Amino acid sequence: MKDTAKSADKLAMEHKQLLKLNERLATVNAESANLMAELEESNETLQKLNSRLALANAHSVELMVELEEKNDVLKRTNLDLAKANAYAAELMAINELKDEEIMKLNKALAQVNTRGANLIAEREMQMEEIHLLNHDLNKEIDERKNIEERLVKTNATKDRFFSIIAHDLRNPFNSIVNLITLIDEHAEILSKDDIMEMVHELHSSADKTKLLLEGLLQWQMVQSDGMVVKAVDTSLMSVIDATIPVLQQHALTKNIKIVSKVDATVHAFIDENMIATVIRNLVSNAIKFTPNQGCITLSSSSDNGKVYVHVSDNGIGMRESDLANLFRIDKKVSQDGTAKEKGSGLGLILCKEFVEKNNGKLSAVSELGEGSTFTFSVPQFSPKNKLD
Protein backbone atom coordinates (compact mmCIF):
# COMPACT_ATOMS: atom_id res chain seq x y z
CA MET A 1 0.00 0.00 0.00
CA LYS A 2 2.79 2.32 0.91
CA ASP A 3 4.51 1.57 -2.34
CA THR A 4 1.33 2.23 -4.15
CA ALA A 5 0.92 5.50 -2.37
CA LYS A 6 4.44 6.49 -3.13
CA SER A 7 3.96 5.55 -6.76
CA ALA A 8 0.85 7.66 -6.84
CA ASP A 9 2.59 10.61 -5.24
CA LYS A 10 5.47 10.23 -7.65
CA LEU A 11 3.09 10.05 -10.51
CA ALA A 12 1.32 13.16 -9.26
CA MET A 13 4.60 14.96 -8.96
CA GLU A 14 5.59 13.95 -12.47
CA HIS A 15 2.18 15.06 -13.71
CA LYS A 16 2.66 18.47 -12.11
CA GLN A 17 6.12 18.70 -13.60
CA LEU A 18 4.71 17.72 -16.95
CA LEU A 19 2.03 20.42 -16.64
CA LYS A 20 4.70 23.01 -15.85
CA LEU A 21 6.76 21.80 -18.79
CA ASN A 22 3.69 22.09 -21.03
CA GLU A 23 3.09 25.60 -19.75
CA ARG A 24 6.69 26.54 -20.40
CA LEU A 25 6.53 24.86 -23.79
CA ALA A 26 3.39 26.86 -24.61
CA THR A 27 5.16 30.06 -23.57
CA VAL A 28 8.20 29.10 -25.64
CA ASN A 29 5.97 28.26 -28.57
CA ALA A 30 4.22 31.67 -28.28
CA GLU A 31 7.56 33.46 -28.06
CA SER A 32 8.79 31.36 -31.00
CA ALA A 33 5.71 32.38 -33.03
CA ASN A 34 6.38 36.05 -32.19
CA LEU A 35 9.99 35.71 -33.19
CA MET A 36 8.97 34.03 -36.42
CA ALA A 37 6.58 36.94 -37.16
CA GLU A 38 9.32 39.45 -36.38
CA LEU A 39 11.72 37.44 -38.54
CA GLU A 40 9.27 37.51 -41.45
CA GLU A 41 8.88 41.29 -41.07
CA SER A 42 12.67 41.64 -40.92
CA ASN A 43 12.96 39.52 -44.07
CA GLU A 44 10.44 41.74 -45.90
CA THR A 45 12.32 44.87 -44.78
CA LEU A 46 15.56 43.28 -45.87
CA GLN A 47 14.09 42.45 -49.27
CA LYS A 48 12.94 46.05 -49.70
CA LEU A 49 16.38 47.30 -48.69
CA ASN A 50 17.97 44.89 -51.14
CA SER A 51 15.66 46.16 -53.91
CA ARG A 52 16.49 49.79 -53.12
CA LEU A 53 20.18 48.90 -52.95
CA ALA A 54 19.94 47.24 -56.35
CA LEU A 55 18.25 50.36 -57.80
CA ALA A 56 20.87 52.59 -56.15
CA ASN A 57 23.63 50.44 -57.63
CA ALA A 58 22.04 50.68 -61.07
CA HIS A 59 21.71 54.47 -60.74
CA SER A 60 25.32 54.63 -59.49
CA VAL A 61 26.43 52.83 -62.63
CA GLU A 62 24.49 55.33 -64.77
CA LEU A 63 26.04 58.23 -62.87
CA MET A 64 29.48 56.75 -63.39
CA VAL A 65 28.85 56.51 -67.12
CA GLU A 66 27.56 60.09 -67.21
CA LEU A 67 30.54 61.25 -65.14
CA GLU A 68 32.93 59.63 -67.57
CA GLU A 69 31.15 61.37 -70.46
CA LYS A 70 31.37 64.71 -68.66
CA ASN A 71 35.03 64.12 -67.94
CA ASP A 72 35.57 63.61 -71.67
CA VAL A 73 33.71 66.85 -72.40
CA LEU A 74 35.74 68.62 -69.70
CA LYS A 75 38.96 67.35 -71.21
CA ARG A 76 37.94 68.64 -74.64
CA THR A 77 36.87 71.96 -73.09
CA ASN A 78 40.16 72.31 -71.28
CA LEU A 79 41.93 71.63 -74.55
CA ASP A 80 39.87 74.32 -76.33
CA LEU A 81 40.48 76.69 -73.43
CA ALA A 82 44.19 76.11 -73.64
CA LYS A 83 44.06 76.93 -77.36
CA ALA A 84 41.97 80.06 -76.65
CA ASN A 85 44.42 81.19 -73.98
CA ALA A 86 47.25 80.73 -76.43
CA TYR A 87 45.35 82.77 -79.06
CA ALA A 88 44.56 85.45 -76.45
CA ALA A 89 48.21 85.63 -75.55
CA GLU A 90 49.04 86.16 -79.22
CA LEU A 91 46.37 88.90 -79.44
CA MET A 92 47.75 90.58 -76.31
CA ALA A 93 51.16 90.58 -77.87
CA ILE A 94 49.74 92.11 -81.05
CA ASN A 95 47.80 94.72 -79.03
CA GLU A 96 50.92 95.68 -77.13
CA LEU A 97 52.69 96.19 -80.43
CA LYS A 98 49.82 98.35 -81.72
CA ASP A 99 49.28 100.49 -78.58
CA GLU A 100 51.64 103.14 -79.88
CA GLU A 101 49.86 103.21 -83.23
CA ILE A 102 46.49 103.43 -81.46
CA MET A 103 47.72 106.35 -79.36
CA LYS A 104 48.84 108.12 -82.53
CA LEU A 105 45.46 107.43 -84.12
CA ASN A 106 43.63 108.71 -81.00
CA LYS A 107 45.66 111.89 -81.09
CA ALA A 108 44.84 112.39 -84.76
CA LEU A 109 41.18 111.59 -84.04
CA ALA A 110 41.11 114.15 -81.23
CA GLN A 111 42.38 116.77 -83.64
CA VAL A 112 39.73 115.77 -86.19
CA ASN A 113 37.04 115.92 -83.49
CA THR A 114 38.17 119.40 -82.51
CA ARG A 115 37.97 120.58 -86.11
CA GLY A 116 34.57 118.85 -86.40
CA ALA A 117 33.31 120.59 -83.25
CA ASN A 118 34.43 123.93 -84.63
CA LEU A 119 32.70 123.22 -87.93
CA ILE A 120 29.51 122.16 -86.08
CA ALA A 121 29.60 125.36 -84.01
CA GLU A 122 29.97 127.41 -87.19
CA ARG A 123 27.16 125.42 -88.80
CA GLU A 124 24.91 126.00 -85.80
CA MET A 125 25.57 129.72 -86.00
CA GLN A 126 24.72 129.64 -89.70
CA MET A 127 21.55 127.64 -88.97
CA GLU A 128 20.54 130.15 -86.31
CA GLU A 129 21.05 132.98 -88.80
CA ILE A 130 19.02 131.04 -91.40
CA HIS A 131 16.30 130.39 -88.79
CA LEU A 132 16.14 134.11 -87.99
CA LEU A 133 16.01 134.95 -91.69
CA ASN A 134 13.24 132.36 -92.21
CA HIS A 135 11.33 133.77 -89.24
CA ASP A 136 11.58 137.28 -90.67
CA LEU A 137 10.65 135.96 -94.12
CA ASN A 138 7.62 134.04 -92.76
CA LYS A 139 6.57 137.12 -90.83
CA GLU A 140 6.83 139.20 -93.98
CA ILE A 141 4.90 136.53 -95.95
CA ASP A 142 2.16 136.52 -93.27
CA GLU A 143 2.00 140.30 -93.36
CA ARG A 144 1.74 140.23 -97.15
CA LYS A 145 -0.98 137.57 -96.95
CA ASN A 146 -2.87 139.73 -94.45
CA ILE A 147 -2.45 142.73 -96.72
CA GLU A 148 -3.63 140.68 -99.71
CA GLU A 149 -6.62 139.40 -97.75
CA ARG A 150 -7.45 142.93 -96.65
CA LEU A 151 -7.07 144.13 -100.24
CA VAL A 152 -9.32 141.34 -101.51
CA LYS A 153 -11.87 142.15 -98.80
CA THR A 154 -11.54 145.87 -99.51
CA ASN A 155 -12.05 145.32 -103.23
CA ALA A 156 -15.02 143.05 -102.55
CA THR A 157 -16.40 145.66 -100.14
CA LYS A 158 -15.86 148.41 -102.68
CA ASP A 159 -17.52 146.36 -105.43
CA ARG A 160 -20.44 145.52 -103.16
CA PHE A 161 -20.70 149.17 -102.06
CA PHE A 162 -20.84 150.43 -105.65
CA SER A 163 -23.25 147.62 -106.54
CA ILE A 164 -25.60 148.77 -103.79
CA ILE A 165 -25.28 152.39 -104.89
CA ALA A 166 -25.69 151.53 -108.59
CA HIS A 167 -28.59 149.12 -108.18
CA ASP A 168 -30.41 149.62 -104.90
CA LEU A 169 -30.21 153.41 -104.90
CA ARG A 170 -30.87 153.82 -108.61
CA ASN A 171 -34.16 151.91 -108.56
CA PRO A 172 -35.90 154.01 -105.88
CA PHE A 173 -34.52 157.21 -107.45
CA ASN A 174 -35.82 156.10 -110.85
CA SER A 175 -39.18 155.42 -109.23
CA ILE A 176 -39.20 158.87 -107.63
CA VAL A 177 -38.17 160.58 -110.88
CA ASN A 178 -40.78 158.68 -112.89
CA LEU A 179 -43.55 159.50 -110.42
CA ILE A 180 -42.58 163.18 -110.30
CA THR A 181 -42.40 163.29 -114.11
CA LEU A 182 -45.83 161.65 -114.34
CA ILE A 183 -47.33 164.16 -111.92
CA ASP A 184 -45.60 167.09 -113.63
CA GLU A 185 -46.71 166.12 -117.13
CA HIS A 186 -50.24 164.91 -116.35
CA ALA A 187 -51.26 166.81 -113.23
CA GLU A 188 -54.21 168.42 -114.99
CA ILE A 189 -55.80 165.10 -115.91
CA LEU A 190 -54.94 163.18 -112.72
CA SER A 191 -57.53 162.79 -110.02
CA LYS A 192 -56.89 163.69 -106.42
CA ASP A 193 -56.85 159.99 -105.50
CA ASP A 194 -54.29 159.27 -108.23
CA ILE A 195 -52.08 162.08 -107.02
CA MET A 196 -52.44 160.94 -103.39
CA GLU A 197 -51.50 157.38 -104.38
CA MET A 198 -48.44 158.64 -106.26
CA VAL A 199 -47.43 160.84 -103.34
CA HIS A 200 -47.77 157.82 -101.06
CA GLU A 201 -45.49 155.83 -103.39
CA LEU A 202 -43.07 158.78 -103.49
CA HIS A 203 -43.06 158.88 -99.70
CA SER A 204 -42.45 155.12 -99.51
CA SER A 205 -39.61 155.27 -102.07
CA ALA A 206 -38.06 158.25 -100.30
CA ASP A 207 -38.23 156.43 -96.94
CA LYS A 208 -36.57 153.34 -98.40
CA THR A 209 -33.89 155.48 -100.04
CA LYS A 210 -33.30 157.35 -96.80
CA LEU A 211 -32.98 154.10 -94.82
CA LEU A 212 -30.57 152.69 -97.38
CA LEU A 213 -28.45 155.85 -97.34
CA GLU A 214 -28.41 155.82 -93.55
CA GLY A 215 -27.36 152.17 -93.61
CA LEU A 216 -24.56 152.91 -96.10
CA LEU A 217 -23.32 155.82 -94.03
CA GLN A 218 -23.44 153.83 -90.81
CA TRP A 219 -21.66 150.88 -92.40
CA GLN A 220 -18.98 153.17 -93.88
CA MET A 221 -18.44 154.75 -90.45
CA VAL A 222 -18.00 151.29 -88.91
CA GLN A 223 -15.51 150.31 -91.64
CA SER A 224 -13.47 153.48 -91.09
CA ASP A 225 -13.65 153.16 -87.27
CA GLY A 226 -15.46 156.47 -87.18
CA MET A 227 -18.28 155.17 -84.99
CA VAL A 228 -17.64 155.23 -81.24
CA VAL A 229 -19.44 152.72 -79.02
CA LYS A 230 -21.06 154.32 -75.96
CA ALA A 231 -22.02 151.33 -73.82
CA VAL A 232 -24.27 151.93 -70.82
CA ASP A 233 -26.62 149.95 -68.57
CA THR A 234 -29.67 149.40 -70.80
CA SER A 235 -32.97 147.56 -70.40
CA LEU A 236 -33.44 145.40 -73.50
CA MET A 237 -37.21 145.52 -73.08
CA SER A 238 -37.15 149.33 -73.20
CA VAL A 239 -35.14 149.24 -76.45
CA ILE A 240 -37.58 146.74 -77.98
CA ASP A 241 -40.64 148.66 -76.77
CA ALA A 242 -39.24 151.80 -78.43
CA THR A 243 -38.34 150.01 -81.66
CA ILE A 244 -41.32 147.72 -82.39
CA PRO A 245 -43.99 150.48 -82.85
CA VAL A 246 -41.97 151.91 -85.77
CA LEU A 247 -42.38 148.55 -87.54
CA GLN A 248 -46.00 147.85 -86.63
CA GLN A 249 -47.46 149.60 -89.71
CA HIS A 250 -45.44 147.38 -92.06
CA ALA A 251 -46.45 144.31 -90.05
CA LEU A 252 -50.13 145.28 -90.07
CA THR A 253 -50.17 145.52 -93.88
CA LYS A 254 -49.40 141.76 -93.88
CA ASN A 255 -51.46 140.92 -90.77
CA ILE A 256 -48.29 139.77 -89.02
CA LYS A 257 -48.32 139.57 -85.23
CA ILE A 258 -45.20 140.69 -83.31
CA VAL A 259 -44.88 139.17 -79.83
CA SER A 260 -42.23 140.18 -77.28
CA LYS A 261 -41.32 137.73 -74.53
CA VAL A 262 -38.13 139.51 -73.50
CA ASP A 263 -37.46 139.37 -69.76
CA ALA A 264 -38.11 142.81 -68.26
CA THR A 265 -35.36 142.30 -65.67
CA VAL A 266 -32.60 141.68 -68.23
CA HIS A 267 -30.12 144.54 -68.54
CA ALA A 268 -27.24 144.68 -71.00
CA PHE A 269 -24.09 146.78 -71.28
CA ILE A 270 -24.59 148.15 -74.80
CA ASP A 271 -24.73 151.15 -77.10
CA GLU A 272 -28.50 151.63 -77.15
CA ASN A 273 -28.67 153.23 -80.62
CA MET A 274 -26.61 150.50 -82.25
CA ILE A 275 -28.60 147.65 -80.70
CA ALA A 276 -31.87 149.44 -81.55
CA THR A 277 -30.69 149.47 -85.19
CA VAL A 278 -29.90 145.75 -84.94
CA ILE A 279 -33.35 144.90 -83.54
CA ARG A 280 -35.07 147.12 -86.11
CA ASN A 281 -33.22 145.46 -88.99
CA LEU A 282 -33.82 141.90 -87.71
CA VAL A 283 -37.54 142.45 -87.11
CA SER A 284 -37.92 144.29 -90.43
CA ASN A 285 -36.16 141.39 -92.16
CA ALA A 286 -38.49 138.91 -90.43
CA ILE A 287 -41.55 140.89 -91.58
CA LYS A 288 -40.19 140.90 -95.12
CA PHE A 289 -39.92 137.09 -95.31
CA THR A 290 -43.00 136.18 -93.27
CA PRO A 291 -46.28 135.59 -95.15
CA ASN A 292 -49.63 137.14 -94.29
CA GLN A 293 -51.03 136.26 -90.85
CA GLY A 294 -47.60 135.06 -89.73
CA CYS A 295 -45.99 135.59 -86.34
CA ILE A 296 -42.66 137.04 -85.18
CA THR A 297 -41.47 136.37 -81.63
CA LEU A 298 -38.75 138.16 -79.68
CA SER A 299 -37.36 136.37 -76.64
CA SER A 300 -34.30 136.53 -74.41
CA SER A 301 -32.03 134.31 -72.35
CA SER A 302 -28.82 134.74 -70.39
CA ASP A 303 -25.83 132.58 -69.62
CA ASN A 304 -22.29 133.07 -68.34
CA GLY A 305 -22.35 136.87 -68.38
CA LYS A 306 -24.03 137.10 -71.80
CA VAL A 307 -27.55 138.16 -72.79
CA TYR A 308 -29.06 136.52 -75.88
CA VAL A 309 -31.87 138.06 -77.93
CA HIS A 310 -33.73 135.73 -80.32
CA VAL A 311 -35.85 136.99 -83.25
CA SER A 312 -37.88 134.06 -84.65
CA ASP A 313 -40.39 133.94 -87.51
CA ASN A 314 -42.48 131.29 -89.26
CA GLY A 315 -41.61 132.62 -92.70
CA ILE A 316 -40.17 131.11 -95.87
CA GLY A 317 -36.74 130.30 -94.36
CA MET A 318 -33.46 129.99 -96.26
CA ARG A 319 -31.38 127.44 -98.12
CA GLU A 320 -28.22 126.22 -96.41
CA SER A 321 -26.05 127.79 -99.13
CA ASP A 322 -27.64 131.23 -98.53
CA LEU A 323 -27.29 130.80 -94.77
CA ALA A 324 -23.52 130.21 -95.13
CA ASN A 325 -23.02 133.51 -97.02
CA LEU A 326 -25.53 135.57 -95.10
CA PHE A 327 -23.07 137.90 -93.33
CA ARG A 328 -20.42 138.18 -96.10
CA ILE A 329 -20.09 141.52 -97.86
CA ASP A 330 -18.51 139.87 -100.93
CA LYS A 331 -21.51 137.56 -101.40
CA LYS A 332 -24.91 138.94 -102.33
CA VAL A 333 -27.71 137.01 -100.61
CA SER A 334 -30.90 138.88 -101.27
CA GLN A 335 -34.31 137.73 -102.41
CA ASP A 336 -37.71 139.29 -102.68
CA GLY A 337 -39.96 139.18 -99.65
CA THR A 338 -43.35 137.47 -99.49
CA ALA A 339 -44.96 140.73 -100.72
CA LYS A 340 -42.23 141.27 -103.36
CA GLU A 341 -40.29 143.58 -101.01
CA LYS A 342 -36.80 144.43 -102.26
CA GLY A 343 -33.61 144.55 -100.20
CA SER A 344 -29.87 145.06 -100.56
CA GLY A 345 -28.67 142.56 -97.95
CA LEU A 346 -26.69 145.35 -96.30
CA GLY A 347 -28.90 145.40 -93.20
CA LEU A 348 -27.73 142.02 -91.86
CA ILE A 349 -24.07 142.89 -92.51
CA LEU A 350 -24.57 146.14 -90.61
CA CYS A 351 -26.23 144.17 -87.77
CA LYS A 352 -23.21 141.88 -87.55
CA GLU A 353 -20.81 144.85 -87.43
CA PHE A 354 -22.86 146.60 -84.71
CA VAL A 355 -23.19 143.47 -82.58
CA GLU A 356 -19.44 142.78 -82.78
CA LYS A 357 -18.75 146.41 -81.89
CA ASN A 358 -20.74 145.71 -78.71
CA ASN A 359 -18.58 142.64 -77.89
CA GLY A 360 -21.19 140.16 -79.08
CA LYS A 361 -21.91 137.71 -81.88
CA LEU A 362 -24.71 137.34 -84.42
CA SER A 363 -25.84 133.98 -85.79
CA ALA A 364 -28.78 132.47 -87.65
CA VAL A 365 -30.50 129.13 -88.02
CA SER A 366 -33.02 128.49 -90.74
CA GLU A 367 -34.74 125.78 -92.75
CA LEU A 368 -36.40 126.32 -96.08
CA GLY A 369 -40.14 126.59 -95.56
CA GLU A 370 -39.83 126.42 -91.75
CA GLY A 371 -38.83 129.98 -90.81
CA SER A 372 -35.67 131.49 -89.33
CA THR A 373 -34.24 132.49 -85.96
CA PHE A 374 -31.60 135.20 -85.62
CA THR A 375 -29.75 135.35 -82.30
CA PHE A 376 -27.30 137.97 -81.09
CA SER A 377 -25.40 138.12 -77.82
CA VAL A 378 -24.25 141.17 -75.85
CA PRO A 379 -22.57 141.53 -72.42
CA GLN A 380 -24.93 141.39 -69.46
CA PHE A 381 -24.70 144.50 -67.31
CA SER A 382 -22.84 144.25 -64.01
CA PRO A 383 -21.14 146.79 -61.72
CA LYS A 384 -17.83 145.54 -63.13
CA ASN A 385 -18.89 146.72 -66.64
CA LYS A 386 -19.51 150.17 -65.25
CA LEU A 387 -16.11 150.29 -63.57
CA ASP A 388 -14.42 149.19 -66.80
Side-chain angles (χ1 to χ4, degrees):
M1 288 293 290
K2 288 182 181 180
D3 291 334
T4 302
K6 286 182 181 180
S7 296
D9 291 335
K10 184 178 180 182
L11 185 60
M13 287 293 293
E14 291 176 355
H15 182 69
K16 287 181 180 179
Q17 289 176 355
L18 185 60
L19 288 173
K20 289 180 180 179
L21 286 172
N22 285 334
E23 290 176 358
R24 289 179 64 188
L25 182 59
T27 301
V28 170
N29 286 335
E31 290 177 356
S32 177
N34 291 331
L35 288 173
M36 286 299 290
E38 291 177 1
L39 182 60
E40 287 179 359
E41 291 179 358
S42 298
N43 285 335
E44 290 178 359
T45 302
L46 184 60
Q47 287 178 0
K48 290 180 180 178
L49 288 174
N50 286 334
S51 297
R52 292 174 64 184
L53 181 60
L55 291 173
N57 287 334
H59 186 59
S60 177
V61 171
E62 292 176 357
L63 289 175
M64 288 297 291
V65 172
E66 186 178 349
L67 183 59
E68 287 179 358
E69 291 176 353
K70 288 184 177 179
N71 283 335
D72 291 338
V73 173
L74 185 59
K75 287 177 182 179
R76 288 195 297 272
T77 303
N78 287 335
L79 182 61
D80 293 339
L81 185 58
K83 290 179 181 179
N85 286 335
Y87 183 65
E90 291 177 3
L91 289 176
M92 289 294 293
I94 293 171
N95 286 336
E96 287 177 358
L97 292 172
K98 290 187 176 180
D99 276 349
E100 186 176 349
E101 293 179 6
I102 291 171
M103 290 177 66
K104 290 179 180 178
L105 287 172
N106 285 337
K107 185 176 179 180
L109 183 60
Q111 293 174 350
V112 171
N113 286 337
T114 301
R115 289 198 298 272
N118 292 334
L119 288 172
I120 290 171
E122 292 176 4
R123 179 65 175 172
E124 287 178 350
M125 291 178 65
Q126 291 173 355
M127 290 298 293
E128 181 65 23
E129 292 176 359
I130 292 171
H131 177 72
L132 291 173
L133 289 172
N134 285 336
H135 177 72
D136 293 340
L137 183 60
N138 288 331
K139 187 177 179 180
E140 185 176 348
I141 290 171
D142 289 340
E143 289 177 355
R144 289 193 176 190
K145 284 182 178 178
N146 290 332
I147 292 172
E148 288 176 3
E149 289 175 0
R150 288 198 298 271
L151 285 173
V152 169
K153 185 177 179 181
T154 300
N155 285 332
T157 302
K158 179 193 68 177
D159 293 342
R160 184 80 176 101
F161 188 81
F162 285 130
S163 173
I164 291 169
I165 293 175
H167 182 269
D168 296 293
L169 275 180
R170 183 176 60 186
N171 287 341
F173 272 121
N174 286 338
S175 177
I176 291 171
V177 171
N178 289 336
L179 286 169
I180 291 175
T181 301
L182 186 62
I183 293 172
D184 182 52
E185 292 179 354
H186 304 284
E188 67 280 0
I189 62 173
L190 292 173
S191 67
K192 183 178 179 181
D193 290 340
D194 290 336
I195 293 174
M196 289 300 296
E197 183 178 349
M198 290 180 184
V199 170
H200 177 73
E201 289 183 19
L202 279 172
H203 187 270
S204 177
S205 296
D207 281 344
K208 291 177 182 177
T209 306
K210 178 185 176 184
L211 287 173
L212 182 57
L213 280 172
E214 287 178 350
L216 287 170
L217 291 172
Q218 288 176 328
W219 179 66
Q220 182 58 32
M221 287 181 68
V222 171
Q223 295 300 308
S224 61
D225 292 327
M227 185 169 285
V228 179
V229 179
K230 298 178 181 178
V232 294
D233 174 19
T234 306
S235 166
L236 283 174
M237 177 174 276
S238 66
V239 176
I240 291 170
D241 287 345
T243 304
I244 296 303
V246 180
L247 304 168
Q248 285 288 5
Q249 185 59 42
H250 185 193
L252 288 173
T253 60
K254 299 175 74 174
N255 293 317
I256 292 173
K257 186 178 181 181
I258 301 176
V259 179
S260 177
K261 297 181 180 179
V262 175
D263 188 347
T265 64
V266 173
H267 280 234
F269 190 66
I270 54 173
D271 184 304
E272 185 173 348
N273 291 328
M274 283 189 179
I275 299 305
T277 301
V278 171
I279 294 171
R280 183 170 62 251
N281 273 283
L282 293 181
V283 175
S284 177
N285 203 59
I287 295 171
K288 177 180 176 182
F289 295 108
T290 300
N292 288 343
Q293 298 182 348
C295 182
I296 298 169
T297 304
L298 288 85
S299 58
S300 64
S301 60
S302 58
D303 180 51
N304 198 25
K306 291 284 186 180
V307 176
Y308 297 86
V309 177
H310 316 277
V311 180
S312 303
D313 63 64
N314 58 353
I316 60 177
M318 287 177 283
R319 293 184 297 268
E320 189 174 346
S321 57
D322 289 341
L323 193 61
N325 296 319
L326 201 58
F327 303 112
R328 292 182 59 176
I329 186 66
D330 57 330
K331 301 287 184 179
K332 182 174 182 179
V333 181
S334 181
Q335 58 180 326
D336 291 349
T338 55
K340 304 301 180 183
E341 300 101 323
K342 303 292 183 180
S344 65
L346 183 63
L348 289 178
I349 296 170
L350 189 63
C351 287
K352 180 177 181 292
E353 297 281 1
F354 279 5
V355 168
E356 290 178 353
K357 283 282 187 181
N358 281 266
N359 297 316
K361 290 183 179 180
L362 175 64
S363 62
V365 291
S366 183
E367 187 175 346
L368 198 62
E370 299 295 331
S372 305
T373 296
F374 286 80
T375 300
F376 68 86
S377 65
V378 286
Q380 190 169 11
F381 177 76
S382 71
K384 184 176 182 300
N385 293 134
K386 193 171 184 180
L387 290 173
D388 292 343

